Each structure stands twice: as structure tokens, then as C-alpha cells.
Amino acid sequence: MAEVTLKAVRKVYAGNVEAVKGVDIDIPDGGFCVLVGPSGCGKSTLLRMVAGLETISSGEIAIGGRVVNQIEPADRDIAMVFQNYALYPHMSVYDNIAYGLRNRGTPKDEIDRRVQEAARILAIEPFLARRPRQLSGGQRQRVAMGRAIVRKPQVFLFDEPLSNLDAKLRVQMRVEIKKLQRALGVTAIYVTHDQVEAMTLSDKLVVMNGGRVEQVGTPTDVYRRPATKFVATFIGSPPMNIVPGVVAGEGSVSVGGHVMAVDDIRAGLPKGAKVDIGLRPEDLVVEPGATDGHPLIEVDFVEELGATQLFHGTLGGAPIVVQCPTDKVPTTVKRLALSIAPTLIHVFDHETGERIGRTFGSVAA
Amino acid sequence: MVEKRHWFFDTLPHVILCMGVFIVAFPVWLAFVGSTWDAATIANGQMPIYPGPHAAENYYRTLFVGAGRTTGQPVWLMMTNSFVMAITIAVGKIAISIISAYAVVYFRFPFRMAAFWLIFITLMLPVEVRIYPTYEIVAQLNMLDTYSGLAIPLIASATATLLFRQFFMTIPDELVEASKIDGAGPFKFFKDTVLPLSITTIAALFVIQFIYGWNQYLWPLLITTKPTMQTIVIGIKTMLVTQDALTEWQLAMTTAVLAMVPPVLVVLVMQKLFVRGLVETEK
């Protein structure tokens, strides 16, 4: 069991391409840290540096207080689950799981005990004699997990492990991974581009973009107080609406002529300063019948999602999506009056995209 | 394919196939028949197309006595020579190629691509092209009339290296990384993962290279002078050239049939692996 510390970690590839631009993350012992971001944001590179599969250009990575920069992957006391499982195709499931232990010279009866235990935990006992290609995607995924847990490592590393599974299985495995990690109490770092996985799995969510950390925090923190416009639109589905606005006074902004009270906004902003206003589709409340004093949107079309409906329209010249429970508003409606609680309005700097909150940026994690 | 077709279009392909089989098989059959008659019957041009009564006698003489006036050596000796050469070439080529391909694909060393291109260029330099310098080297190393002289110059092979390289490049990088994390070093990764995955490629190459080695003619002709070092392919040729005597066709035919046996056996034994290598990937 160990905490993982990344200090000013950078990765520069040949040709001066900077894939990771100075990342600092502290993951407590037993924590579940998810790195999330769009493809090419450096999250996989970062994970592979922790694993030792990529060299560290500068900075320091420590596992359990031990700096591992110069240590071979096998000696870092980590286990990794790969996107395509990376099972040895010519070995049986048993041998796949046992291989790492054998290479470390673990006694035979000890290997057998541990493999059986891992197989029992993951319910893959009936497949131990089979070859990986005789298994389904979900079963292969379990074998890959088995290979990781049998080693009893200090840190689990997951590189988009669920991206090859179908939607239903993904949800199921997601829950299992979380349960397993909790039960074993092993520190985990998990890379994904799926924000649902990111939100549900993590204790500590790291949102990355362009080789930088945009925000670190608990999932709720990141969702409720996104530090930048990027985080705001990346986390949450459907994504947060960003509409142009101006500062209307202390604690209020104006969008398309409508003045709205805002809770979390820095004091002393010049009146009329251009800002971007973030409004989550699920936070917008439709006011049936009301017209006065509420921002109005023209509805272009409606998407039915079953439990909820998405009304697409424009507000202040920017596209906007409103999510509301089915049957609350007729889908034939042409115009919607909206309201939103002052605590749910996010204000971002128009130029830098950073949050202009009362305490700057996010709550330090 | 359940559609009903005219009987003619069902038959035509079979007729064509049968003709093809006939064209290939008839000379082989004639060689076999020739190996079962005596010299006189063949020489007077009246050999029937069915086997005769002299099979046992011909095969015994060919294998253990030899055609006295020409080769002067029993064919079992020639077969041994051919076999040693073919096996050495096949095994040698595979061993060297798989190691060099492994180096080129998995290690980042200086001049890696230069090394690869050097290997690649030898594709354009088969023995026939470099025969004089190669002969010179083999002669100066005192390897004329030796098995090493027969086999080693033919072992260097770009084709096999290329084939292994292409195959290694299809092995997912994740497998290499998983091995690293599982604590397998380069040698263990080669032994535990690369080699087992390459079995079918190795089998296919073995078949091809064994037949390549077995059928060598020019090189053995050049560097073997002792009758005891003749290969079977050379032996057949030698038997056909006689000065003032009848060619012993029945022995030549017997030798030809015997020369066909080992390659056929290799193909039969390796067929299963060979086909599996072509149709099924274990990755």
C-alpha cells in the first residue's frame, strides 16, 4: 500500500514535442485517482511514466515515498491493466495470471494458492485451463484484472480498461473494479476518456487538457465548481452551456439583456466586463407560463431521452440545451422561460477561460 | 452456394483440375515405373506404364551399392549428405533470422536501420551472383568438401529475417509492456512469448528452406569434389552422363524417386502447422 506523488513531471518527445507539461499530483494511500481528458491530452503518457514504460524527461515520481524514476517497471511494485488486455495468447488463463509470479521466483504452492484466490474473487475459476481467445471480452478483462491483483502490488494502473467492452458490460465491470479496489485497499490510477467512468470511480479526479492538469478535486468538486471553461464543458452530459454575458453589477451578470444573480463571483469586477456564463442543462428550470423577468429561449428541436427531454434553442446568440423531466413540458412548445438558482451559475473569464469565483479557481485538493 | 447449376459447369472445373493433376503426376509415375524395370526394358524403348518386377533389386542396388561406373557411391550416402545440408541450412537460417529480426524490431541501438538495410540488400545477392568471391572465401577457409562449406554460405538470408520482422511487428506492443511489468527481460520475453507465437511461422519457413536446401545444385557442384560428398541432386545428374556405356536409367529413376521422398515427408509432417500458420493467428 502506498501513496503516489508526482512532482513537476514533464515528458518531452524527440522534436521538442511536450506531451506532459509539468504535472503535480498527490494520490493518498488507497486512493482511486482517475485521469480524464480528451485524446492526446497526455493522460496515457502520464500513466505510462508511472508504470515505467516511458522515461521521465524531468520531475519526480515517487511510489510509497521511493523515487522510481530510474527503477525498472518490474521493480516498481505496480500492476497494469491494458486497454486490449495484453494477455499472452499462447498461455492458458492460469499461466497468464501466474506468469508474473513465476518470473519473481515465487514458490509453486504459493503461486497456486494466489492464482486460485484471484480466480475465485473474479469468478473465472471455470476458465483457468482455457486460452484467452476462447474467452469473451468481459472474461478476458477479468483475466487481465486477475493478473494485476495476483501480484498484490502497491499500485494498480488502468489504461482505459473498459473501452473495448459493450455498454452494459462496461457498467458492470466499472462497479466491480471499484468494489475490488475498495476491498483490496490498493492505490489505483485509472485513465479514461469516459466522464461517467471518471465521475463514478474516482475519489480524486484529475482533468487534463493539452498536457496540463486543468483541475484536481473530488468528482463533486469538479462537477460543482469547474476551475476552467474546459473542465466545465468536459465534465457533465449533456455538456454545460456556455453563453456570452457581461458583468451587470456586484454579484450579478446579464445574459441577453436578462440580469441574473450569481452566488460565486469575485467582487470588484468592472461593470460591463465580458464574461462567459456556464449553465448546466440539468440546472436550468423551466418556468411554465411565466414570461416576465425570465430569460426566454426559442426552441429549435427536442430530443427525447426517455426519463428526460433535451430542448435545444438559443440564448443570447449562443446555442443552449435545457434538460427537463419528461412530461413536464409539452414537446410542441416554441418558447421556454427559464430560471436558475444563483448558486448554480458559473462565471468564466472570457479570455483565459478561468473561473472567476470568490475563491479563485477550485478548492485546493 | 446452394444455387442450382448446369451439370456442365460442375464438371468443367473438375476436368481442368484432373488434366492439371495428370500433367504433374504422370512424369512422377513414369519415374516410379522406371525404377521397377531392368535397364534393358527401358533402353529398348518398350517400358510399359505399369510397375515391373525389379523394384526390390533396383532399390537395394541404388541405396546400398550405387551406380558403379558413374557416381560410384551408394545413394544412402548422397541422401545423408543432402539431408545434413538441407537441415543445416533450414535450422541455421531460422536461428539466425529470428535473432536478427528480434534485434531489429525490439532494440533501439545505433545504426539499427543501417543494419536492417544491410540485411535487406543481401536479397539482391543470392549465391549465384556472389559465387566467385564466396567460393574464394570457402576455399581459403579450407571448407571445400565439408558440410560447413556446403551449408554456411547458403544460411545468410534476408527473406527469413524479413518474414520474422513482419511477423514481430504484428505482435502488439502491449504484450511487450505486459511482459516488462511481469518482470520478463528481453531473453525471457523471447523465450516465453516471441518463440511460442512464432511456431507456425517457423514451421512454414522450415518447409520452404528445407526444400530450398535439398534442391541446391550449383553450389554443391562447385565446392564438392570428393565422390563421398556428393548430394543426391548432383548424383542424379552424374548418373545420366556416361561415356561408352548404357545409362543405367533404372538406377537414375530410382534415385529420382528417392530424392523426392524427404521433401514430401517434410511437407506431410509440417502440413498441419503450416496451414495453421496461414489461417489462424494466435494474437
Side-chain angles (χ1 to χ4, degrees), chain A residues 48 88-90 99 103 133, chain B residues 174 177 182 188 192 282:
Chain A
R48 292 163 54 81
Y88 308 111
H90 56 289
Y99 187 63
N103 287 341
R133 69 160 177 278
Chain B
E174 280 193 349
E177 292 169 353
D182 271 339
K188 260 207 160 131
D192 291 341
E282 267 209 288

Side-chain angles (χ1 to χ4, degrees), chain A residues 187-234:
Chain A
T187 314
I189 306 178
Y190 187 108
V191 163
T192 182
H193 58 257
D194 182 307
Q195 49 143 321
V196 180
E197 275 173 34
M199 293 291 291
T200 51
L201 285 171
S202 60
D203 321 320
K204 187 164 209 165
L205 185 55
V206 178
V207 184
M208 291 186 68
N209 186 32
R212 281 181 209 287
V213 171
E214 293 269 335
Q215 187 170 7
V216 181
T218 63
T220 330
D221 206 19
V222 173
Y223 176 81
R224 276 294 154 214
R225 290 171 54 82
T228 64
K229 215 154 60 175
F230 172 81
V231 176
T233 49
F234 191 79

